[in-house]
Structure formats: structure tokens, C-alpha cells
Amino acid sequence: SGNQKGDGLVTFGSEAAVRAALERDDWQLFGEMLTVQPATFTEKPTVAREEWARIVVLCGLFSQEEIAEAEDRKEFVNSLEEEVWRECAKFGSVERVQCFPVDGACPLVVLFETEDSARVCIAAMHGRFFNGRTVEAEGYDGNRKRAIALEVDTERQARLLPPPPPPPQPEPSAVPPSGASQSASAPSAPSAPSAPS
């Protein structure tokens, strides 16, 4: 979810020390009672290497301070993801945008339908300015802390499609403005010279 849970991890030197820690019931921090339990680890998601070329990592679009100060953090992240989606849709079909607010570099990760779209995005976004900061755009490097889900976000994709291009404008016509004579007279033929008398 990207929200801090307040968990801490302590590594002990032996199993006996772990058992002793679990048996205590007086763990406190800043006057607050702590819940102590054995750590469980889940495998971090990974992205298959052949998919990396379709993924762009954008940094410099927000700061952790902005998220901390936001009235509604979830809405702040959602709004930022959708703004990035709309901007990146200019470069090709976007399949997913995901913000990783706990990462100190504050990345937004964009999954494109094609590698070409990802390359165009990197070229267009790198070095741009956003909210007074310089955007860094680069290809995905396999960092598991930034592993984006590869499923297409169909709800956003349908809702955030770029608007259709405007209809073509009619060609200017050679019709004279109203009030002008609509009939054109053919140029008169030169008159034949009169015969000498």
C-alpha cells in the first residue's frame, strides 16, 4: 500500500535470544507498549527481464514531504499517478502507472504496451521540470522495490484514454464572399480591325 506500518526488525545472534525476547511482555518504546513477534518474510515481486524495456522509472515528480503533508495521502498518490498516466499517454499506450512513495527517490513507474513508447517517454521526460524539480527518466533496472505489476489497469486505461484528435478543418474554398457577383464573365475577344475605306 505504500503506507508506513510502524514495524521494526531486530536481528538476534541466536534462537535462544529470539525465544527470550518473545517471552518478555514489557517491551516499550517512548512509553508505548510494543507487540513482539517472530518476523515473517514474503518474496518480493519481480519483473521478468524481457519486460524491462517496456518500463520507465520517473523520479523527481514528488517528495516524501509532500505526501506527509497531504490531507489525504491516498488521494494525493492517486491524483499523481493519473496525471502521469495522461502525460505519458502522449508517447504511446500506457498499461499501468504505480507510485512507490516509501522509496527515498520517490519514483513513479510506468508500464507501456511497447518498448518504442518507453524509449520515446524517456527521451521526452528526462530533464523536464515539474513543480520546480528536474525529472529523471530511465529504463527499469530490475530493482525489486520498484517492481510494477504487469497486469493492465483496464479501469484507468478506459477512463484516461487521450482525447481523440480534433476533426480536420475544411479546406478554404475559392467561393467569393457573399454579396460578390457569383458569375464571372469570359474575357471579351479583341475586336477585329475595321477594313480600310
Side-chain angles (χ1 to χ4, degrees):
S1 71
N3 296 324
Q4 298 281 0
K5 297 186 293 184
D7 291 350
L9 178 67
V10 177
T11 304
F12 291 92
S14 68
E15 285 288 327
V18 171
R19 283 192 300 277
L22 292 171
E23 289 169 4
R24 284 184 53 182
D25 61 359
D26 61 344
W27 290 105
Q28 290 188 33
L29 182 65
F30 304 119
E32 297 288 326
M33 292 300 296
L34 299 179
T35 301
V36 178
Q37 61 191 34
T40 56
F41 298 96
T42 56
E43 186 70 26
K44 287 201 176 291
T46 59
V47 177
R49 191 172 190 91
E50 59 268 16
E51 302 290 351
W52 292 8
R54 297 192 303 133
I55 302 171
V56 175
V57 179
L58 301 171
C59 295
L61 295 169
F62 71 98
S63 68
Q64 289 180 325
E65 291 76 23
E66 286 174 303
I67 289 183
E69 293 167 4
E71 192 171 308
D72 183 338
R73 292 177 184 151
K74 188 174 181 180
E75 179 53 36
F76 177 89
V77 168
N78 185 61
S79 176
L80 188 60
E81 287 176 345
E82 294 194 355
E83 185 176 351
V84 167
W85 188 302
R86 286 187 192 95
E87 187 62 25
C88 288
K90 297 174 183 176
F91 312 122
S93 179
V94 175
E95 294 188 342
R96 181 173 291 275
V97 174
Q98 190 171 341
C99 180
F100 292 87
V102 177
D103 186 319
C106 301
L108 276 122
V109 180
V110 183
L111 174 65
F112 284 95
E113 182 179 357
T114 68
E115 296 176 13
D116 287 341
S117 297
R119 280 193 290 274
V120 172
C121 176
I122 291 169
M125 294 292 282
H126 190 74
R128 280 177 61 175
F129 287 94
F130 183 82
N131 281 349
R133 289 185 291 270
T134 303
V135 176
E136 293 178 23
E138 58 188 24
Y140 180 69
D141 63 0
N143 184 335
R144 295 194 309 175
K145 291 181 180 177
R146 300 175 183 175
I148 189 169
L150 295 178
E151 295 82 27
V152 177
D153 187 340
T154 53
E155 185 277 327
R156 272 189 179 163
Q157 197 173 53
R159 190 167 44 82
L160 301 177
L161 281 174
Q169 297 297 317
E171 292 291 323
S173 65
V175 176
S178 62
S181 172
Q182 297 278 338
S183 60
S185 57
S188 57
S191 51
S194 53
S197 39

